[in-house]
Amino acid sequence: MNDIGRMVQQIEISGTEVLRKPEELKLIGRGRSAVVFRIRDEQKVLKVFYPDCAHLAVQEASIYQVLQDNNHFPFYYEGGEGYVVLEYLDGITFYECLRRGIIITDNMLLQVDVALQYARSKGLNPSDTHLQNVMLLSNGEVRVIDVVRFRQSKECTHWDDLKMAYDRYYQRRFFPKKYPVWFIEMIIRLYRKGFIKMNERK
């Protein structure tokens, strides 16, 4: 058993809560399917799926392997039962940009578009691309993360809707660029419940 396998065996998760983990791991992220740890002294992260989502690890690993030739996605190192190991990204999500007031630019959106178009060229269906799944790195580059749903068949309009909101509102000169978490979460909930719609498509 390699070091990764040993660390994964020492992790205990109940539902979405991490009850136990080895010292080498630092919890840095939590999503609806998995938790993410940074591996101490390495530029790598360990993404461990919740017990009821463990089957998604194989799916995400296969998608990252398809995307390996494009640097708009994190580098994939290895995977195993219920986990994947990826490149550590030094940056913040677009969600955090809104919270801190860091301006999201046209170029940042363009980099996401390029990444998603590349995925489509590989026969994938980019899905679930939202504020928490796009990262601005410290060097100004953008990465798309959490690609586990890139093989679903249904159409996902999350990214198109975000771009439309950007065009209609965010980029206006006097429109606020910084928002409290409660406001961002309220908008997200209203969007998910269908109270906020972006019906016009370019």
Side-chain angles (χ1 to χ4, degrees), residues 23-87:
E23 289 296 319
E24 300 100 311
L25 300 179
K26 178 183 179 182
L27 180 64
I28 61 171
R30 189 192 309 271
R32 59 175 172 163
S33 302
V35 289
V36 180
F37 304 94
R38 183 173 182 182
I39 303 174
R40 188 176 63 194
D41 300 328
E42 295 192 48
Q43 295 298 309
K44 295 178 181 179
V45 297
L46 172 63
K47 181 175 181 179
V48 180
F49 289 81
Y50 302 133
D52 61 344
C53 298
H55 63 284
L56 295 176
V58 173
Q59 181 172 312
E60 185 159 58
S62 68
I63 294 171
Y64 272 121
Q65 287 170 331
V66 170
L67 299 171
Q68 275 301 261
D69 293 332
N70 190 283
N71 63 5
H72 284 104
F73 301 92
F75 186 83
Y76 167 81
Y77 289 100
E78 64 176 280
E81 187 174 349
Y83 74 89
V84 294
V85 180
L86 304 168
E87 168 192 10

Side-chain angles (χ1 to χ4, degrees), residues 98 104 106 109 131 157-172 175-177 179 187 191 196-202:
L98 290 183
I104 297 172
D106 288 346
L109 268 63
L131 295 172
T157 64
H158 289 173
W159 181 245
D160 287 338
D161 289 341
L162 281 172
K163 288 197 300 179
M164 199 168 296
Y166 177 91
D167 289 338
R168 287 183 182 176
Y169 309 111
Y170 181 87
Q171 69 173 353
R172 294 181 182 274
F175 201 78
K177 303 299 185 285
Y179 306 89
I187 296 299
Y191 171 78
I196 296 177
K197 297 182 182 296
M198 296 289 176
N199 295 318
E200 299 175 13
R201 300 285 173 215
K202 289 185 176 181

Side-chain angles (χ1 to χ4, degrees), residues 8-9 12 18 32 54 67 71 86 105 108 113 115 123 145 155 157 165 186:
V8 171
Q9 283 202 344
E12 183 180 353
V18 178
R32 59 175 172 163
L67 299 171
N71 63 5
L86 304 168
T105 66
M108 289 159 64
D113 282 338
I145 61 175
E155 180 187 10
T157 64
M186 180 185 69

